[in-house]
Amino acid sequence: MHDDPEERPLQPVSAALAWVLPGLGHMRNGEIRRGWMVMLGVLGMFLLGVLVSGVDCVDRREDFLWFLAQAGAGPLAFATDALNAFLVKSGRVGELLNTMQPDGSTVPISTFKGVGAIEGVGTLFTAMAGLMNVTAVLDALRGQRRDG
Amino acid sequence: MSMLAWMPFLQPMPGAMHWWWAWIVPMVALVSVIWKAIRLPSLDRYWREVAWMTGQVLLGMLALAVGLIVLVQWVVPLLPAD
């Protein structure tokens, strides 16, 4: 019987795979359907957040604490941050407008940057996807259940 | 900005700001999809459990919202000003 997690050997490779691609760790453990459901949930939530707010909702430099949570979704979060820096923050798409800061300085901000509640929605979706994937990684680490 | 000019995944979705609160529904549903995939010993009744959890969380949030409205609109004004 492998119901008791204490009796199951830890699966660090599965945990690593679960971080690289959500759901893959469960699939390696033989829990194929669980893997698909985790993948659907994590990738669905992350991509829905980016669809609503744009790649700007993942920003390692400006929103580092949020990024800590978003990074739980794996390399996808780092790729989204890189796309944000390469395309949006550099001005390769959209326009950069100089905006006045409270201290009097001006900072270039992209016209593609989300503002207000809608930016919060994307940030929350992507951060929640990352945090939920952390629980999935820990579950994959515990190995396969008896029922699979 | 028109819908035709929208660049998905790069720009914020046009019009989404007007119903930002409605995004709680897909968020709760997707959290339930992940949570039930991890927690259920067997996936025989998986989608029913996902729907049940989604409904419970949404009803709980609705109850909290109603409670806060009652508190702010009716209870707080009854308190003495000083």
Side-chain angles (χ1 to χ4, degrees):
Chain A
M1 293 297 170
H2 290 279
D3 257 2
D4 184 357
E6 297 295 326
E7 296 178 8
R8 292 186 244 155
L10 293 179
Q11 303 288 340
V13 176
S14 296
L17 288 174
W19 182 77
V20 170
L21 181 63
L24 201 57
H26 285 87
M27 291 181 185
R28 180 182 179 269
N29 288 342
E31 300 179 306
I32 305 297
R33 192 174 168 210
R34 277 185 212 279
W36 282 117
M37 294 301 109
V38 170
M39 189 180 290
L40 169 74
V42 175
L43 294 186
M45 194 154 29
F46 194 95
L47 293 176
L48 192 57
V50 177
L51 180 68
V52 172
S53 299
V55 291
D56 177 63
C57 67
V58 180
D59 194 324
R60 184 165 47 91
R61 290 164 195 83
E62 286 185 27
D63 304 312
F64 181 71
L65 287 179
W66 282 109
F67 185 76
L68 286 180
Q70 292 160 338
L76 181 62
F78 291 86
T80 308
D81 172 63
L83 267 180
N84 180 24
F86 182 73
L87 291 176
V88 177
K89 297 187 87 172
S90 68
R92 283 184 174 88
V93 295
E95 286 181 64
L96 292 178
L97 301 177
N98 283 322
T99 54
M100 184 76 78
Q101 299 299 297
D103 62 1
S105 63
T106 57
V107 172
I109 292 183
S110 173
T111 52
F112 279 22
K113 185 176 177 61
V115 292
I118 204 61
E119 187 192 18
V121 169
T123 305
L124 194 58
F125 264 74
T126 49
M128 188 63 81
L131 292 175
M132 290 305 293
N133 196 45
V134 170
T135 65
V137 166
L138 293 174
D139 192 57
L141 178 67
R142 291 179 7 163
Q144 188 182 18
R145 293 164 183 75
R146 185 178 53 174
D147 290 342
Chain B
M1 185 184 303
S2 72
M3 281 291 283
L4 290 175
W6 178 46
M7 297 172 70
F9 297 104
L10 287 178
Q11 284 178 292
M13 185 184 285
M17 193 183 290
H18 301 300
W19 30 278
W20 58 268
W21 47 269
W23 291 103
I24 192 70
V25 179
M27 171 175 277
V28 171
L30 288 168
V31 166
S32 303
V33 163
I34 302 167
W35 185 250
K36 287 298 177 182
I38 293 170
R39 295 299 299 169
L40 285 178
S42 162
L43 298 182
D44 293 341
R45 291 156 40 94
Y46 175 73
W47 289 110
R48 183 185 294 188
E49 293 282 345
V50 168
W52 183 240
M53 178 178 166
T54 304
Q56 281 181 314
V57 174
L58 289 176
L59 279 176
M61 288 189 170
L62 188 64
L64 278 174
V66 169
L68 282 174
I69 289 171
V70 169
L71 182 71
V72 172
Q73 295 288 328
W74 286 289
V75 177
V76 171
L78 294 176
L79 298 175
D82 38 288

